[in-house]
Amino acid sequence: MELAQELVRHCVRSFYDTKHIIVIETLIIHSALRDDDMAVLMGMNTKDLHKLCGRLKEDRFLAVHTRSEIKEGQQRPQNRTYYYIDYRATIDAIKWRIYTIDKEIQGNTVPAAERKEYFCGRCKAEYTILEVLSFESTMAGWLCDRCKFVLMHDDGSSHGGHEQSTKLNAQFKFITSMLPKLDQVVIPENTFEKAFEVAVKVVRDETNPAYETTPMDLAASRPAAVKGLANTGPTSIKITLNEESGPSEAEQAAERQRKERIAAQNAMPVHFTHSTVTGEQIKFTAHNSYMSVSAGEDQKNTDGVSANDDGTEIDDYFARLKEEQAKEAAREQDEEGDSDDEDDDEDLGFEDVITNG
């Protein structure tokens, strides 16, 4: 942990302002601090402190945790902000920044043959050392191929590539030399709970007194479905494993009882099923008509099917229908035969003969 703290100190002192350095140093000493306690140590209000810590949070140099707390003597909870350092996330962020900067510098590498070393002060033209060999020259130097102005040679201040990479490695040596050492050790995880357990309490004076707060229990703060009911969640879950493929006998019995209970609830009143005059049961037909049935007539069997509903009535009906259709067809044929005979008599043209005497 000391090696990680040393790396964080070096990076903050190299690239950040004084106030940011003080914030990191305070968190390293106190492990975890509430925003109002840190504001007292920094000598600023909480609004400016949040703005100051915003940049460090974006760069992963500190972490923020918010929890609900109840002030002593009050019932309404308040959200309080705590700051601490997650060293694993901070080291990963430092490695990533070093990697991206190194890649960006290496991308600017230009071969020596293609490097622009001669520049024209008048037309701003750029030439390589191979190009100026074919230009005109004087005692003052090479002349520009466009405007014949004396070219200026770059002294190396604008060179990129390997020179910038070498300078970068020299400047970041204090970081790159510590990263291999950190890879050989295991950095302990520093969550808010662990950081808050070893936190050093801030001692305040009488001008800035501190007030005690207690964290709010999330389970107790959960709204209840019924007013006055404290615990609304399930206390236990019971699972029964059955080797049989279908439902058990107990489940079948429970299902039958449920169906009987639903049937009893959906049963029609007596004045709908029986006549209020004679007391006979009313049998409803499929055409929304009904007929009265005596008490002993049309009893249902155990399977729920009527004794007369075996299909014989339908067969008798169709048999009678066929007989009536056959009789009707024979009657029509007889009528057609009589009409044909009368037509034949009229076509012969015979007349009655009246004899004399």
Side-chain angles (χ1 to χ4, degrees):
M1 185 65 73
E2 295 180 358
L3 191 62
Q5 292 177 355
E6 184 179 358
L7 177 63
V8 173
R9 281 193 176 102
H10 287 339
C11 293
V12 173
R13 290 175 181 270
S14 301
F15 302 104
Y16 289 89
D17 299 334
T18 304
K19 292 183 178 180
H20 298 100
I21 298 173
I22 297 175
V23 169
I24 297 300
E25 290 290 342
T26 305
L27 291 178
I28 292 176
I29 295 172
H30 291 271
S31 180
L33 281 178
R34 200 168 62 185
D35 54 355
D36 56 345
D37 292 336
M38 184 177 289
V40 172
L41 296 177
M42 295 290 295
M44 57 173 47
N45 53 31
T46 55
K47 183 177 180 180
D48 296 336
L49 178 65
H50 293 166
K51 185 177 179 181
L52 181 66
C53 296
R55 182 185 174 188
L56 294 174
K57 178 185 175 182
E58 292 178 358
D59 296 341
R60 306 291 294 274
F61 275 93
L62 59 82
V64 182
H65 180 80
T66 304
R67 70 175 183 179
S68 298
E69 296 181 355
I70 299 178
K71 187 178 179 180
E72 185 178 358
Q74 296 182 358
Q75 296 181 352
R76 184 177 180 181
Q78 296 180 353
N79 292 331
R80 309 305 302 179
T81 303
Y82 286 84
Y83 295 106
Y84 67 100
I85 300 176
D86 187 358
Y87 291 98
R88 287 186 177 180
T90 303
I91 293 172
D92 292 340
I94 293 172
K95 290 180 179 179
W96 174 253
R97 294 293 294 274
I98 295 297
Y99 173 78
T100 53
I101 293 174
D102 186 49
K103 285 296 181 182
E104 184 178 356
I105 295 300
Q106 290 181 3
N108 297 330
T109 304
V110 179
E114 300 178 2
R115 187 180 303 170
K116 306 290 185 179
E117 296 185 0
Y118 291 87
F119 303 91
C120 179
R122 180 183 296 175
C123 63
K124 307 300 180 183
E126 299 178 358
Y127 303 100
T128 63
I129 189 172
L130 296 178
E131 292 175 347
V132 299
L133 293 177
S134 60
F135 296 166
E136 299 179 3
S137 61
T138 60
M139 297 295 297
W142 302 97
L143 300 180
C144 179
D145 190 34
R146 297 179 182 177
C147 59
K148 304 302 179 181
F149 192 77
V150 179
L151 297 177
M152 295 181 297
H153 185 262
D154 188 11
D155 56 355
S157 60
S158 61
H159 286 177
H162 298 291
E163 296 181 2
Q164 293 183 359
S165 180
T166 304
K167 187 182 296 185
L168 175 68
N169 294 331
Q171 293 178 352
F172 286 174
K173 187 177 181 180
F174 68 97
I175 299 177
T176 56
S177 61
M178 296 180 65
L179 292 179
K181 299 178 181 178
L182 290 170
D183 294 337
Q184 296 176 1
V185 298
V186 178
I187 304 299
E189 185 180 6
N190 190 33
T191 60
F192 171 74
E193 288 76 13
K194 294 181 179 180
F196 188 77
E197 289 178 358
V198 296
V200 179
K201 188 176 180 180
V202 177
V203 180
R204 296 195 182 187
D205 52 6
E206 297 179 356
T207 58
N208 295 312
Y211 56 88
E212 297 294 333
T213 58
T214 56
M216 187 175 181
D217 188 6
L218 297 178
S221 62
R222 182 177 54 191
V226 181
K227 186 177 182 181
L229 186 61
N231 188 7
T232 59
T235 56
S236 62
I237 298 176
K238 185 178 180 180
I239 300 175
T240 303
L241 300 178
N242 190 6
E243 296 180 356
E244 299 179 359
S245 59
S248 60
E249 295 180 358
E251 293 177 352
Q252 294 177 0
E255 183 66 18
R256 287 195 297 268
Q257 293 178 1
R258 186 184 67 84
K259 290 182 179 180
E260 292 176 358
R261 184 173 62 256
I262 294 175
Q265 293 177 357
N266 298 333
M268 297 180 66
V270 180
H271 60 272
F272 283 161
T273 59
H274 293 74
S275 175
T276 57
V277 178
T278 61
E280 296 179 351
Q281 184 180 0
I282 300 173
K283 180 179 179 182
F284 291 89
T285 61
H287 299 286
N288 296 330
S289 61
Y290 63 91
M291 57 184 297
S292 61
V293 182
S294 60
E297 183 181 358
D298 195 18
Q299 295 292 332
K300 300 289 183 178
N301 55 13
T302 56
D303 296 334
V305 181
S306 175
N308 296 329
D309 293 342
D310 54 354
T312 57
E313 295 182 358
I314 298 176
D315 296 339
D316 295 341
Y317 171 76
F318 280 105
R320 291 194 299 270
L321 181 62
K322 289 181 180 180
E323 292 178 0
E324 293 178 359
Q325 290 178 354
K327 291 179 181 180
E328 185 69 23
R331 191 183 305 109
E332 292 179 356
Q333 290 179 359
D334 294 340
E335 293 177 356
E336 290 178 358
D338 295 339
S339 61
D340 292 341
D341 294 340
E342 293 177 359
D343 294 339
D344 294 338
D345 293 341
E346 292 177 358
D347 294 338
L348 292 174
F350 291 102
E351 296 181 359
D352 296 335
V353 177
I354 301 174
T355 59
N356 294 331

